[in-house]
Amino acid sequence: MMTQQQLPQWAKDYLHYIQVPVREPSQSYLKEMITAHLNRIPFENISTLLHYKKYHEEKKLVPDAKKFVKQLFQQDMSGTCYMLNSSLHQLLKQLGFHSRYTFLGGGHVALLVRLPGEEEELYVDVGNGAPFFEPIRIETDPGNVSEYGGIEVRLRPGDEFGTYKYYRYVDGTLLTDMDWSFDTKKIYQFDDFQPAIQKYFRPNGVFTSVLRCQIWQLSQKRSLSLVNNVLSIRYSNRKIEKHILNDRFEVRDVIENEFKLPKLPVEEAIEILEGMGINIFQEPTEKAEA
């Protein structure tokens, strides 16, 4: 078993941030980690906007868990699937799990994780804004359902062996714009995702033309989703509250007091969007929660 002392400092800090100790690799430990991760670390594109200019200068995104953890502590900033799942991937390997990437729909990165002594790989995803609070045994549990407060995700076998399809429902309605399939037989390195990352960072893209932040707060039986100036609060009993925020001061108040992310540089992200000609307060957005 890996001990606390044997871990690199960034991994110790990572575990400290999500408030999880070092344990023997197991399914229960994996579940503990990803639940804590989703409750402590947001899915957000503020970091995307702040790194937008640098990315277009360097033309490449490099996964760096040490930098990721530093950013968590200094700015409450995390990212979307590319940074969230690649950082967790590096942490899991340090802790003795076997982890590799999988690629959904040509644009979403998730993980396939194997426990010591087991052959079956489990689907793990902390970069989706979805209620994946435990690893999914897609091979032996084909009827799996990940659900919270009316958001439901099902991973179903495809037509060919080793292939699967992702279905997401919000309040019983299938989201048809998420046509994601993946093949577990394919092996990926992070650089295989660079063409998709280039599309991700294109001007007026899904994550370069809006402000987005989402987090789970299971202790309060709710999730929070901010899309531009609309705060959606979704409760475990499926009740939904929506609040229109009128200016950046109200956005700051929500980020600080509801999301509990006081260091997140949301004002800077709003200014970057304004520099692109996007006013998030112009009209309420009706986009679904992250």
Side-chain angles (χ1 to χ4, degrees):
M1 173 181 171
M2 177 69 71
T3 65
Q4 182 82 16
Q5 290 71 27
Q6 292 173 304
L7 290 174
Q9 188 60 48
W10 68 262
K12 296 177 188 178
D13 292 342
Y14 199 152
L15 289 172
H16 177 69
Y17 192 86
I18 62 174
Q19 301 174 359
V20 172
V22 177
R23 302 190 198 279
E24 194 76 30
S26 67
Q27 183 170 346
S28 62
Y29 183 40
L30 185 55
K31 177 180 178 180
E32 179 183 9
M33 272 197 293
I34 61 180
T35 300
H37 206 288
L38 291 170
N39 278 269
R40 185 72 178 89
I41 299 177
F43 174 94
E44 50 80 13
N45 77 324
I46 286 93
S47 53
T48 298
L49 295 167
L50 266 66
H51 295 152
Y52 180 83
K53 183 178 179 181
K54 183 180 180 182
Y55 172 80
H56 283 280
E57 291 171 351
E58 299 180 353
K59 306 295 184 182
K60 188 174 184 179
L61 187 66
V62 178
D64 186 336
K66 183 177 180 180
K67 182 178 178 181
F68 174 81
V69 173
K70 182 179 179 181
Q71 175 174 284
L72 287 175
F73 279 94
Q74 292 185 347
Q75 297 177 291
D76 288 331
M77 206 161 64
S78 51
T80 57
C81 68
Y82 297 110
M83 288 295 96
L84 288 163
N85 282 325
S86 66
S87 299
L88 179 62
H89 166 69
Q90 293 174 68
L91 177 63
L92 291 174
K93 291 199 297 182
Q94 289 288 337
L95 293 168
F97 292 91
H98 181 276
S99 176
R100 67 184 179 98
Y101 294 116
T102 190
F103 199 35
L104 286 73
H108 179 68
V109 171
L111 304 177
L112 296 173
V113 180
R114 183 160 45 82
L115 306 176
E118 290 196 14
E119 292 186 6
E120 183 178 5
E121 292 180 306
L122 313 179
Y123 180 92
V124 170
D125 193 350
V126 297
N128 196 333
F132 289 120
F133 302 122
E134 57 183 271
I136 309 301
R137 290 187 176 272
I138 52 177
E139 295 177 27
T140 56
D141 182 17
N144 64 79
V145 179
S146 301
E147 190 276 335
Y148 189 88
I151 296 178
E152 184 177 297
V153 179
R154 306 173 189 178
L155 302 177
R156 295 291 180 262
D159 295 332
E160 297 181 17
F161 174 78
T163 64
Y164 297 87
K165 192 163 183 180
Y166 176 111
Y167 297 91
R168 181 172 181 139
Y169 299 80
V170 176
D171 300 322
T173 300
L174 176 65
L175 299 189
T176 57
D177 61 339
M178 299 182 76
D179 186 17
W180 289 355
S181 298
F182 60 107
D183 188 343
T184 60
K185 300 187 299 298
K186 292 185 178 180
I187 305 298
Y188 296 98
Q189 302 300 322
F190 192 84
D191 274 351
D192 294 327
F193 310 135
Q194 295 297 346
I197 292 169
Q198 185 177 17
K199 293 179 182 178
Y200 172 91
F201 273 100
R202 71 184 186 275
N204 296 312
V206 173
F207 290 101
T208 58
S209 60
V210 299
L211 185 76
R212 184 181 289 273
C213 188
Q214 188 272 342
I215 201 165
W216 302 91
Q217 296 177 337
L218 296 187
S219 63
Q220 298 183 59
K221 298 182 179 181
R222 69 180 192 173
S223 68
L224 301 178
S225 176
L226 178 66
V227 180
N228 282 346
N229 65 326
V230 180
L231 172 67
S232 299
I233 306 176
R234 178 177 286 268
Y235 293 91
S236 60
N237 64 3
R238 301 197 175 196
K239 177 185 175 184
I240 303 171
E241 293 178 8
K242 287 188 181 288
H243 303 272
I244 307 301
L245 310 180
N246 296 306
D247 53 42
R248 66 183 63 194
F249 301 105
E250 291 188 6
V251 173
R252 162 52 55 194
D253 181 67
V254 162
I255 289 293
E256 192 160 326
N257 296 305
E258 298 294 342
F259 282 85
K260 307 298 182 185
L261 300 169
K263 301 175 186 176
L264 191 64
V266 65
E267 294 92 344
E268 191 172 342
I270 292 172
E271 290 175 4
I272 291 169
L273 285 170
E274 289 175 347
M276 297 177 179
I278 299 165
N279 178 3
I280 69 167
F281 304 104
Q282 193 164 23
E283 60 182 41
T285 178
E286 293 301 325
K287 292 182 180 181
E289 296 106 315

